[in-house]
């Protein structure tokens, strides 16, 4: 994990680790029970921990022996005592059991977090990609739009 005091970067590190390990419990531990997600995959929205757990379980089990390496760029957040908004551009790279990259995509994540039981939990998340105007297809590869920030 990155040695930082920034809670948003800590959440992103925990997310990356949970996804790589295909660890549903660790994945759920960063999300609040009354979570509401506008996910860009398959469904308009997911409400509550049960729906999000089902999504994560299905995602992780669909990977077989592949792993997903998540990296974050342009991570920024604003917070006060009890609420935080964070955003980042995420890259999801599917890796074979031998460590070869099979495919990858980018998406944008914006998350609202609140303190819950002494730790930060995501209670709303929104993922997206830009839509190409003429084809109406999602753009899953980030175009360079200036220097990236970590």
């Amino acid at each position: 994990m990155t040695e930082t005091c920034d809670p948003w970067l800590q959440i992103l590190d925990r997310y990356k680790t949970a996804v790589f390990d295909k660890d549903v419990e660790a994945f759920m531990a960063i999300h609040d029970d009354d979570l509401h997600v506008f996910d860009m995959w398959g469904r308009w929205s997911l409400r509550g921990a049960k729906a999000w757990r089902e999504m994560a379980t299905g995602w992780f089990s669909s990977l077989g022996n592949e792993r997903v390496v998540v990296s974050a760029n342009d991570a920024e957040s604003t917070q006060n005592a009890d609420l935080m908004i964070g955003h980042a551009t995420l890259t999801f790279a599917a890796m074979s059991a031998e460590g070869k990259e099979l495919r990858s995509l980018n998406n944008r994540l914006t998350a609202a977090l609140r303190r819950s039981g002494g730790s930060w939990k995501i209670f709303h998340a929104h993922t997206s990609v830009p839509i190409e105007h003429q084809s109406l297809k999602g753009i899953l590869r980030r175009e360079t739009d200036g220097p990236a920030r970590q």
Side-chain angles (χ1 to χ4, degrees):
M1 182 182 320
T2 303
E3 291 185 36
T4 180
C5 293
D6 184 332
W8 176 234
L9 295 179
Q10 291 175 350
I11 290 288
L12 289 173
D13 281 344
R14 291 174 61 197
Y15 180 93
K16 293 176 202 180
T17 300
V19 170
F20 183 80
D21 292 342
K22 299 185 260 188
D23 184 340
V24 173
E25 295 308 315
F27 186 81
M28 294 305 298
I30 64 172
H31 296 93
D32 220 26
D33 287 341
D34 66 348
L35 174 71
H36 190 189
V37 178
F38 295 152
D39 195 19
M40 66 182 223
W41 299 105
R43 292 178 58 188
W44 188 257
S45 71
L46 296 151
R47 246 188 215 279
K50 180 180 181 208
W52 196 234
R53 177 182 299 278
E54 288 171 359
M55 180 286 305
T57 301
W59 174 26
F60 296 163
S61 66
S62 76
L63 296 172
N65 65 355
E66 294 177 8
R67 299 271 183 181
V68 175
V69 174
V70 178
S71 56
N73 288 296
D74 305 322
E76 296 182 26
S77 65
T78 300
Q79 71 182 75
N80 68 22
D82 295 314
L83 291 173
M84 175 175 25
I85 303 294
H87 59 85
T89 301
L90 302 181
T91 299
F92 295 82
M95 308 297 283
S96 70
E98 297 76 37
K100 179 183 174 192
E101 184 174 318
L102 303 171
R103 61 194 168 278
S104 68
L105 61 85
N106 305 114
N107 77 19
R108 303 173 295 194
L109 168 66
T110 301
L113 298 89
R114 64 179 161 232
R115 285 192 197 272
S116 178
S119 64
W120 290 100
K121 301 273 185 155
I122 298 169
F123 69 90
H124 178 70
H126 190 125
T127 60
S128 67
V129 295
I131 302 297
E132 197 279 321
H133 185 71
Q134 290 183 329
S135 70
L136 297 180
K137 291 183 179 180
I139 300 169
L140 299 176
R141 290 259 187 226
R142 181 181 179 174
E143 297 176 19
T144 304
D145 57 3
R149 293 184 298 238
Q150 285 286 51

